[in-house]
Amino acid sequence: MPPVSLASIESTGTNYLHHIEANHFVLDTDEPAKLGGQGAGPAPFDYYLASLAACTAITLRMYAQRKGWELGRFRAELALTRDDDGRLHVHRVLRSDQPLTDEQWKRLLEIVANTPVTKAMREGAEISSARGDAL
């Protein structure tokens, strides 16, 4: 089965700062100083939320274009929290500078509940690991 996406990460020798290569894009990740990092890049959970935010915005823009709806300037604000049992919760708030009807908002909220990344996060993914050859 062909991969949907590919990414790799390599250490930099500076505590938790790492370089990520996703497709042909290079990103950095780090932990905040309070966790021993340098704060030189988004932390892993920042990327977790960012991937959901990106999928949210792109999916809704595609849907609105197909429907001929003008989303105008669109914004999705996401917050990740952990409850007393340690379970993660994501809350998404959607905003547009266009006067969308209640029916349009209702449909957009239905669509956003089923974006590809939303489904992957909600349903989970099987994760396997293997040892590779030396660098």
Side-chain angles (χ1 to χ4, degrees), residues 92-110:
R92 223 178 342 209
V93 176
L94 309 178
R95 302 178 192 280
S96 171
D97 67 354
Q98 296 300 299
L100 299 169
T101 67
D102 288 343
E103 194 58 38
Q104 287 173 314
W105 275 114
K106 179 181 177 194
R107 186 64 184 135
L108 290 175
L109 290 169
E110 289 170 356

Side-chain angles (χ1 to χ4, degrees), residues 14 16-19 27-33 37-43 47:
T14 305
Y16 304 127
L17 179 64
H18 287 74
H19 297 307
L27 313 161
D28 285 339
T29 188
D30 197 0
E31 288 288 349
Q38 306 301 307
Y47 280 116

Side-chain angles (χ1 to χ4, degrees), residues 1-6:
M1 127 178 47
V4 173
S5 185
L6 296 170

Side-chain angles (χ1 to χ4, degrees), residues 48-113:
Y48 181 83
L49 275 187
S51 69
L52 181 57
C55 190
T56 296
I58 291 168
T59 301
L60 291 184
R61 180 73 60 190
M62 287 176 174
Y63 181 80
Q65 286 174 345
R66 280 197 310 271
K67 290 293 197 176
W69 298 352
E70 182 54 52
L71 278 185
R73 201 172 111 230
F74 176 80
R75 181 178 181 94
E77 299 163 353
L78 291 81
L80 181 66
T81 58
R82 202 178 281 279
D83 66 21
D84 292 339
D85 295 327
R87 290 184 42 105
L88 293 172
H89 298 270
V90 176
H91 182 68
R92 223 178 342 209
V93 176
L94 309 178
R95 302 178 192 280
S96 171
D97 67 354
Q98 296 300 299
L100 299 169
T101 67
D102 288 343
E103 194 58 38
Q104 287 173 314
W105 275 114
K106 179 181 177 194
R107 186 64 184 135
L108 290 175
L109 290 169
E110 289 170 356
I111 295 297
V112 81

